[in-house]
Amino acid sequence: SLIWGFGYRGNVTYTPDGCVRYSNDGSSFEDCSVISLLRFDKGIFDSPSVQDRDFSEILEMAQEGDDFEDEDGSALTAFLLSVLTSSLLIFGIARLLRRKRMQNVLGCDIKDVDWYRDIPFDGDVLQSYMVLEQLGKNRKSNVAGAMILRMIYNGIIRLSKDDRGNIEMSFDALASLDSLSGAERSLYDMMKKASGSDVILQKNEFRRWSRFHTKEVSDWAESIGRLGRERARETGNMEGRRFTLNGQKNSRNLVGLKNFLGDYTLLKERGTAEVVLWKEYLVFAALFGIADKVAKELEEINPAVFEQQMA
C-alpha cells in the first residue's frame, strides 16, 4: 500500500481520476482529524529536504500511535504526520508551478531539449542568465565569471601571474568600454575600485573590498535578472512575463548548448570544425559553471589550436 489514514474511523482509497479519497464509517468526527500519509516513488518530487532514513521508519512511527493508547504519543504522531502531509502538498504544488514555468520558458519539458551547438540569444549573457534563473539553474558568480572572461577576450582586462603564481588582473586604460552592457560596466567598475592604487586586482582583493561594499555588490547581483528580462523584452524574446515563441526557441537552444558542452564525446566529434566558437563556448561554459571541464576537453581535442584561440 502507498496510502494510509490516521486520526479517524473509516477508509482510504484511490479514485479512477487519480485522487486519494478518505471517508469515515458513519461514526462521529467529533474530536477526530484526518491525517494523511502518502508514499511517492523517488524522483517524483525535487525536495530540498533529504533525511537519512527509510520510509518504513516514518510508517512505523505513525502506526505506533494509531491505537491512541498513548495520548501524548498520538498527538506527536499526528503533528509529525500533519507536517509531512503539508510538505508533500507543498512539494506537489511547487512541482506544478515549476512545470508551468518551464512550459513558459521552454515550451516543453527540459528533458525533451535536444543538443545545440551554436550560441543562443546572439551571445547575450544577461538574457541567458535570466533563463537559467527562471529554470532554477543559476549562480550569480557564474554570470560574473562569464562577463569577466569575455572582457579578457576583448582585451579590456589582462591576466598575468604574480611571484607566487597567483592570477592577477590589470585594466587596459586604452581599451574601449563601449561594447560593455550596463551590468558588465558596473562589474568592471567594482573590480577596478577593488584593485586599489596599483590598479591590479590580486588574489582575494575583491573579496576583501566587497566586505565593506556589500550593498553595491548585492545591488548588482539583484539587478542582473531584471536587466536580463528587460533585454528579452527589447529583443522580442519576452512580452510582459511570457516568453514569445522565439524566446522559447532561444531558451531551448541555451539548455541544448549546456547539454552539448557537458558531453565530451560530442565536443570531440565536432573536432576543430568550429574553433571560431571556442571562446564563446568557454564564456557560456563559465555561465553554466563547467568552464574548467570544457577548457580541458577543448585542449585535448587539439592543444595547438586551443592555445592559438585562447591567446
Side-chain angles (χ1 to χ4, degrees), residues 33-280:
S33 60
V34 177
I35 301 165
S36 174
L37 176 61
L38 297 89
R39 180 184 181 278
F40 295 94
D41 290 336
K42 186 176 181 180
I44 292 180
F45 297 108
D46 297 324
S47 170
S49 174
V50 179
Q51 300 183 22
D52 187 18
R53 57 177 173 171
D54 191 77
F55 177 81
S56 60
E57 295 182 42
I58 299 289
L59 179 59
E60 183 179 354
M61 181 184 69
Q63 291 175 333
E64 283 178 359
D66 191 31
D67 56 9
F68 294 95
E69 290 179 358
D70 183 349
E71 196 169 304
D72 292 335
S74 64
L76 176 59
T77 300
F79 171 75
L80 291 175
L81 287 173
S82 297
V83 172
L84 177 61
T85 304
S86 298
S87 298
L88 291 173
L89 289 173
I90 290 171
F91 295 150
I93 293 171
R95 186 175 178 84
L96 289 174
L97 291 175
R98 186 162 55 250
R99 283 181 176 175
K100 185 175 181 181
R101 184 168 62 247
M102 193 178 299
Q103 187 67 33
N104 175 37
V105 177
L106 301 174
C108 67
D109 191 287
I110 196 169
K111 296 177 182 178
D112 297 328
V113 176
D114 293 328
W115 287 300
Y116 188 70
R117 295 167 171 83
D118 294 315
I119 307 302
F121 288 107
D122 294 324
D124 193 320
V125 170
L126 276 177
Q127 290 189 72
S128 299
Y129 168 82
M130 179 270 298
V131 168
L132 295 177
E133 183 180 51
Q134 291 285 314
L135 296 175
K137 301 179 180 298
N138 63 303
R139 285 190 63 183
K140 291 180 172 62
S141 58
N142 290 348
V143 69
M147 290 177 177
I148 292 170
L149 198 54
R150 186 167 279 167
M151 291 182 208
I152 293 170
Y153 292 153
N154 292 335
I156 296 172
I157 292 176
R158 295 178 179 176
L159 294 184
S160 57
K161 291 186 178 181
D162 61 18
D163 296 338
R164 297 182 178 181
N166 296 318
I167 297 293
E168 56 185 21
M169 292 190 294
S170 57
F171 304 84
D172 189 340
L174 300 179
S176 173
L177 305 181
D178 294 341
S179 63
L180 298 181
S181 67
E184 290 169 330
R185 179 59 188 267
S186 296
L187 177 61
Y188 174 90
D189 290 341
M190 287 192 296
M191 291 191 299
K192 194 169 183 179
K193 291 176 187 175
S195 67
S197 57
D198 62 356
V199 201
I200 298 176
L201 190 63
Q202 300 170 327
K203 183 180 180 181
N204 296 325
E205 203 165 16
F206 187 83
R207 186 190 303 273
R208 291 193 295 269
W209 178 86
S210 63
R211 291 175 184 170
F212 300 95
H213 300 82
T214 54
K215 188 177 186 306
E216 188 171 353
V217 175
S218 63
D219 285 349
W220 178 85
E222 291 301 321
S223 72
I224 51 180
R226 172 178 53 80
L227 292 173
R229 287 189 292 275
E230 290 177 1
R231 286 284 299 141
R233 295 184 186 110
E234 291 170 2
T235 54
N237 286 307
M238 289 186 75
E239 291 179 355
R241 293 179 175 272
R242 298 198 61 81
F243 282 74
T244 62
L245 291 177
N246 192 61
Q248 291 177 341
K249 178 182 177 182
N250 273 312
S251 298
R252 291 194 298 271
N253 290 344
L254 177 70
V255 174
L257 178 62
K258 184 177 185 296
N259 294 339
F260 172 66
L261 293 179
D263 193 327
Y264 171 67
T265 58
L266 288 177
L267 283 176
K268 190 173 183 180
E269 175 188 316
R270 300 295 287 181
T272 57
E274 294 173 343
V275 293
V276 292
L277 294 178
W278 280 15
K279 287 184 178 180
E280 284 300 301

